[in-house]
Amino acid sequence: MRTVFLYGGLLALLLLSFGCSTDSPQSTFDAAGYVAKSQLTLFWIIFGAAAFVFVVVEGLLLYTVIRYRWKKGQAEPAQIHGNHKLELLWTLAPAIVLAVIAVPTVMSIFELSTPPDEERLEITVVGHQWFWEFEYPDLGIKTSNELHIPTGKVVNLTLNSNDVLHSFWVPKLAGKQDIIPNRSNELWLIADEPGVYFGQCAEFCGIAHAKMRFRVIAESPDEFDKWAKDFLRPSVAPKGMASQGAKLFNEKGCIACHTIQDNPIARGNIGPSLTHFGLRNTIAAGILEKDEFGENLTKWLTNPEEVKPGNIMSRDGIIYNDTKMTMTNKDVAALVIYLGSLKPDINKEPIIPGSSSVPSIALGEVPEPESGNKVNGEALFSSLGCSACHSIGTDALIGPGMSGLADRASGRVEDLSAGQYIYQSIIDPSAFVVSDFPDNVMPQVFADMLTDEEINDLVEYLKSLK
Ligand code: CUA
């Protein structure tokens, strides 16, 4: 019986020890930066104090149990009530232990609550159901799911939520910080060594919470600067299958939710930014590795629901919901090639954000659009990706359905004809946002992109939808 207990106990210890691996990708024992290291030091101090108390208390207990155990024929021992010395001792001893824990804990809390007063990189993090958006306001960079940082530099993160509670956690670099809607929290960290650090959301935020991961890619300052500079360069121009993919990206409505800096109509902000997606190592918020032949990306685009249940792309994306828009295997292949090709063209100069000209609106009377070509308008409606947000029936997608638009548009604004109303809505999408539809979703680019003739064609086509 004894041996059974002995071996059973040893086996249990062995099994428990498997949980204590120190080299797993999210182990806090392998701290790789100042913040994580100081939190780890605190852990060891508290662990040491707890271990000391455990050994002393259990030791005394065992000693007493064995030394003073009942012996045959022994009379009942003397009954003691109250002992000032002992009571003083077991009040003071825990107080000292608590002080040992409290002093470094409070010092660490104060130290880690605000970043040190030195040059730092500011990054805004936005938690979305279920991906991460990273914006570098001083560098003009916005990317998703892979956070590039320079080593040895203080990185200050401002954490915001687009929807519900999330929590930002890169175990090897810093502790968790909650992300709360309508509130900005902050967290700072430093990475000592270049490397890829795993991160994940640590607050239940809905069905795909466990699949809301990310990577922190720490690079030497030189490599980081190169990455940041290259990020502002336009992508390599798509060729062959990639250019077919670029066309599909618009037509299949991907632009309604995703931003690609080089594509003037891809300004969606519902899904992650895909600018220079070809540089990424992972897909779908760190769930899948990006393999050389695009197998995982194909899997993701073909059936996103299988990879990340509950994701918004499969729920709302028109290609997954309207059988007329479903992609063929060839379409998927073209998109995979296009997305993989989105890498900076080092022969092109970086575009400093804010330097591009803002669409200028001429002052004067609103012109009545000239009559256009309906067939051309229909082709434009499809090639510009309008159908991703607007059905040509009455169904409301992201934007209103277009059927009967002419009737609704005429007279909505005093003295504005249906044609003028539609024309204005194309060149200035936030001019008349219909209530219950989001503002700032439709790209503000058509004024620059389209010729007057093309806009007239579009208006003509839209007016014809009864
Ligand atoms: Cu975001 Cu859990």
Side-chain angles (χ1 to χ4, degrees), residues 213-233:
R213 302 185 199 165
F214 61 100
R215 301 282 191 278
V216 175
I217 298 163
E219 296 157 313
S220 69
D222 285 348
E223 276 177 67
F224 174 80
D225 289 344
K226 184 180 178 306
W227 172 82
K229 191 176 177 195
D230 284 346
F231 203 91
L232 296 175
R233 297 179 201 274

Side-chain angles (χ1 to χ4, degrees), residues 392-426:
I392 55 168
T394 52
D395 294 343
L397 303 173
I398 292 165
M402 295 284 104
S403 170
L405 179 64
D407 292 340
R408 281 178 283 136
S410 82
R412 176 165 275 157
V413 178
E414 210 182 316
D415 294 337
L416 218 53
S417 72
Q420 288 169 324
Y421 180 96
I422 299 171
Y423 189 100
Q424 188 65 26
S425 298
I426 294 171

Side-chain angles (χ1 to χ4, degrees), residues 128 130 132 164-167 201-206 208-210 212:
H128 292 251
W130 289 274
W132 301 87
V164 297
L165 291 172
H166 302 277
S167 179
C201 179
E203 178 78 47
F204 182 70
C205 55
H209 152 70
M212 184 172 165

